[in-house]
Amino acid sequence: CWEVRKHNSSEWCHFIRSNPDCRLDGGFLDYLDGVFCVFPPQLLPLAVTLYALWLLYLFIILGVTAEKFFCPNLSAISTNLKLSHNVAAFSLTSPLHGVTFLAFGNGAPDVFSAVVAFSDPRTAGLAIGAIFGAGVFVTSVVAGGIALVKPFTAASRPFLRDVIFYMVAVFLTFVVLYLGRIRLGEALGECCGGWGWWDHPGGAVTPHHSPMAGYLGLYVFYVLTVVLCTWIHRRQRGDGLNPPGAWEPEMPTDVEEQESSGTNSGDDGEEYRPLLPSQESSLRILATALSPLDYRKWRRKPWYWRLFKVFKVPVELVLLLTVPVVDPDKDDLNWKRPLNCLHILTSPLLCLLTLKSGAYGLYQIQGVFPVWGLVTLVASALALIVFISTSNEEPPKYHCVFAFLGFLASAMWINAAATELVNILRTLGVIFQLSNTVLGLTLLAWGNSIGDTFSDLTMARQGYPRMAFSACFGGIIFNILVGVGLGCLLQMTSSQPLVKLEPDSPLVWVLAGALGLSLVFSFVTVPAQCFQLGKPYGVCLIAYYLVFLCVALLTEFRVIHFSPP
């Protein structure tokens, strides 16, 4: 499809529509057809500008959905499954920011983007570039920025554990890329490293041992290691009664948390609280629940926050209409009777119309009645029953079911946004004749990492640099192991138990080498400094990323030539 720009501009549209390689799988918009057929050639810069703005807005959609809808529902699910204190919420009990539920919440955009990219061999380079590119960015720029903002003593044992696991994951990916394919054993993981067969690049069929333990198997082993280490450490320090040790990040006390979140007794919200409780009408509850703006907060915030909020309001309004949120921290569990009853209708319709870009929802039963019509009838009847049998004041006993519904709906939103994101990045690659790998390591990696960057640096400025530094290495382990493992696993079938991962440019090897070198640098220098990290360490990491970026771009534009392995 890259050949389109080599033709005369009058032939662009015919080339795009007649070339099978230019077809975008999934998604609601055909971006290639739009830029080469809808816009005239002289307005190509305008089309690229509009696509770039839409790309930025897709990142906003991913961030808002994950932060305000996906993660809260995961937290509610983990609370109902009694996982909040031992596995799900490691943000309160371990140096990691979460190894299962919370890691899934924070890494949802990265994982969904990887799964969507792996669904098409033509865009697999996007996933590899984004996962490796985000790894280099987070372990160098973000980790270095934390050291610059707040020099600190790193948590020794969790740091060594996470870096070792991450180096193993990078090595496993390097082996898979070298072989050019990933089999079921590598994706799932074989506890004893079972034997299989591969077709050697030279043509011979030779036995092989699955590299390491496989992606998903290695992640399960990592989770078990974290749980075991945390349990041993708790036993050693007496079940958390002592102050944090040298390898555990400091956490704010309950009083500090209340003061920072504005929930102490002196909060300004007290003056707005009515003296006597009053029963609100269902219509007023619905209107209040659907308002994405807090007018008291709006008046206190600076102009740039308000401007960004204006862009987020349409997204938040649509999400409020289609995704229920269960909040275990509230007395009423965020039960909004009229809105939750509306969710019984809108959430299933959302899932149906976003699955396979609406193909299943528009299917005609017996060629007469559409599937979305049947779902509307059933969901409307169920919503009416729930509305009649419940009250505005008290949530029903089955309210936790809404957390699962919200989880599914928000996951479908993220998947839909990730599909559009991958398609528009592929379109930009065709326009500028860039490989998917360079788009992945730059635009996709930066977009998916920007939220973690701001949250980690803010955490460091607030006095918790060890927690932020641990999150840098702990979170991306989830992204690479689950992103590659799950993305490839979903593409495998019984007749095709492997996925080809052939690098689309030599840049892949630059990425793999840069990430491995970054991890080795931290693995050697951090213990050498007795885990005392300051500004020199931060400057070195950021300078390393700038050098890597220059080498990567020079390789992409063929200024630097080398033969890949």
Side-chain angles (χ1 to χ4, degrees):
C1 197
W2 280 7
E3 302 291 330
V4 63
R5 296 295 301 276
K6 297 180 180 179
H7 291 71
N8 191 284
S9 60
S10 60
E11 302 174 352
W12 285 355
C13 185
H14 178 265
F15 181 88
I16 289 294
R17 291 178 174 175
S18 61
N19 191 346
D21 190 54
C22 295
R23 294 173 185 169
L24 299 177
D25 295 332
F28 294 93
L29 300 175
D30 191 338
Y31 298 101
L32 283 170
D33 186 84
V35 73
F36 290 112
C37 297
V38 176
F39 285 90
Q42 57 269 26
L43 291 182
L44 182 62
L46 175 62
V48 172
T49 303
L50 294 176
Y51 280 14
L53 294 175
W54 176 232
L55 180 68
L56 293 176
Y57 205 68
L58 285 172
F59 280 121
I60 293 176
I61 294 174
L62 283 173
V64 171
T65 308
E67 177 187 358
K68 295 191 174 182
F69 296 87
F70 193 77
C71 288
N73 281 313
L74 277 177
S75 177
I77 291 173
S78 65
T79 300
N80 279 282
L81 295 178
K82 310 298 182 185
L83 296 175
S84 58
H85 295 292
N86 53 8
V87 177
F90 269 82
S91 59
L92 298 180
T93 56
S94 104
L96 295 180
H97 73 293
V99 293
T100 52
F101 283 92
L102 193 54
F104 189 24
N106 291 339
D110 308 78
V111 172
F112 277 97
S113 298
V115 169
V116 172
F118 277 123
S119 65
D120 188 343
R122 297 170 297 178
T123 57
L126 269 176
I128 297 297
I131 290 174
F132 275 4
V136 179
F137 181 82
V138 172
T139 57
S140 56
V141 175
V142 180
I146 293 170
L148 286 174
V149 169
K150 188 82 171 179
F152 65 101
T153 302
S156 58
R157 281 177 281 184
F159 167 77
L160 295 175
R161 176 196 63 209
D162 294 343
V163 171
I164 290 173
F165 269 98
Y166 199 21
M167 287 193 293
V168 171
V170 173
F171 175 76
L172 176 60
T173 307
F174 184 88
V175 171
V176 167
L177 290 173
Y178 177 77
L179 297 176
R181 66 196 68 187
I182 178 172
R183 301 182 68 91
L184 184 63
E186 286 90 344
L188 268 179
E190 302 171 4
C191 296
C192 299
W195 288 85
W197 297 85
W198 75 54
D199 295 327
H200 193 271
V205 179
T206 57
H208 86 289
H209 192 272
S210 294
M212 308 308 292
Y215 283 92
L216 300 181
L218 182 59
Y219 188 71
V220 171
F221 181 58
Y222 170 67
V223 172
L224 295 176
T225 303
V226 172
V227 172
L228 180 62
C229 291
T230 304
W231 179 78
I232 293 175
H233 178 63
R234 282 179 171 179
R235 291 290 300 270
Q236 290 177 347
R237 68 183 182 126
D239 293 328
L241 297 178
N242 298 326
W247 64 286
E248 183 185 21
E250 56 277 74
M251 291 296 298
T253 62
D254 293 339
V255 175
E256 289 172 332
E257 288 179 345
Q258 291 174 353
E259 289 176 354
S260 62
S261 61
T263 58
N264 58 328
S265 58
D267 184 69
D268 295 337
E270 290 288 340
E271 61 182 278
Y272 296 95
R273 187 173 299 171
L275 296 177
L276 296 175
S278 59
Q279 291 186 350
E280 292 182 303
S281 64
S282 296
L283 187 60
R284 183 176 178 82
I285 292 175
L286 179 63
T288 304
L290 286 176
S291 176
L293 282 176
D294 185 339
Y295 295 102
R296 286 171 289 172
K297 182 184 293 185
W298 175 271
R299 290 196 299 265
R300 296 194 302 264
K301 293 295 183 179
W303 66 269
Y304 54 83
W305 184 93
R306 298 183 186 184
L307 180 62
F308 187 57
K309 185 68 175 179
V310 168
F311 288 105
K312 292 200 301 182
V313 161
V315 179
E316 292 177 350
L317 182 59
V318 174
L319 289 169
L320 286 171
L321 277 169
T322 54
V323 183
V325 178
V326 177
D327 190 350
D329 296 329
K330 292 184 178 181
D331 293 336
D332 61 352
L333 304 178
N334 199 39
W335 166 249
K336 310 294 180 185
R337 176 173 166 240
L339 180 59
N340 288 140
C341 291
L342 181 62
H343 286 147
I344 297 177
L345 172 63
T346 58
S347 293
L349 282 177
L350 165 75
C351 297
L352 189 65
L353 295 177
T354 54
L355 187 64
K356 292 293 183 182
S357 303
Y360 293 130
L362 299 177
Y363 177 77
Q364 302 277 335
I365 302 175
Q366 299 292 328
V368 177
F369 198 70
V371 174
W372 67 264
L374 177 62
V375 172
T376 300
L377 291 176
V378 175
S380 299
L382 185 60
L384 183 61
I385 293 173
V386 172
F387 187 82
I388 294 174
S389 61
T390 57
S391 65
N392 291 333
E393 291 74 27
E394 186 177 354
K397 294 181 179 180
Y398 52 81
H399 186 222
C400 61
V401 175
F402 284 90
F404 291 90
L405 182 61
F407 165 76
L408 181 61
S410 56
M412 295 305 297
W413 267 116
I414 294 175
N415 183 68
T419 302
E420 300 300 319
L421 189 69
V422 169
N423 285 342
I424 200 170
L425 284 175
R426 180 166 181 255
T427 301
L428 292 176
V430 172
I431 295 173
F432 294 108
Q433 295 185 325
L434 297 173
S435 69
N436 289 324
T437 305
V438 75
L439 290 171
L441 78 91
T442 53
L443 296 180
L444 189 55
W446 294 340
N448 286 338
S449 302
I450 194 69
D452 290 338
T453 302
F454 283 114
S455 62
D456 290 342
L457 293 179
T458 301
M459 196 184 304
R461 281 196 299 267
Q462 291 176 349
Y464 310 109
R466 281 193 288 175
M467 187 190 308
F469 190 73
S470 297
C472 288
F473 292 91
I476 51 180
I477 294 176
F478 177 88
N479 296 345
I480 187 172
L481 291 178
V482 178
V484 178
L486 186 62
C488 293
L489 181 64
L490 294 178
Q491 307 314 316
M492 295 179 183
T493 61
S494 57
S495 59
Q496 187 75 11
L498 61 84
V499 173
K500 292 185 178 181
L501 290 178
E502 298 177 355
D504 60 353
S505 74
L507 185 58
V508 172
W509 306 109
V510 175
L511 263 174
L515 180 55
L517 188 59
S518 172
L519 293 174
V520 171
F521 173 78
S522 292
F523 184 72
V524 173
T525 58
V526 172
Q529 301 174 82
C530 298
F531 298 94
Q532 301 285 335
L533 305 182
K535 293 184 178 180
Y537 175 75
V539 170
C540 288
L541 286 180
I542 294 176
Y544 175 82
Y545 183 78
L546 294 177
V547 172
F548 150 73
L549 199 58
C550 291
V551 172
L553 293 177
L554 291 175
T555 304
E556 172 65 19
F557 295 116
R558 295 175 177 82
V559 177
I560 298 178
H561 300 274
F562 70 94
S563 299

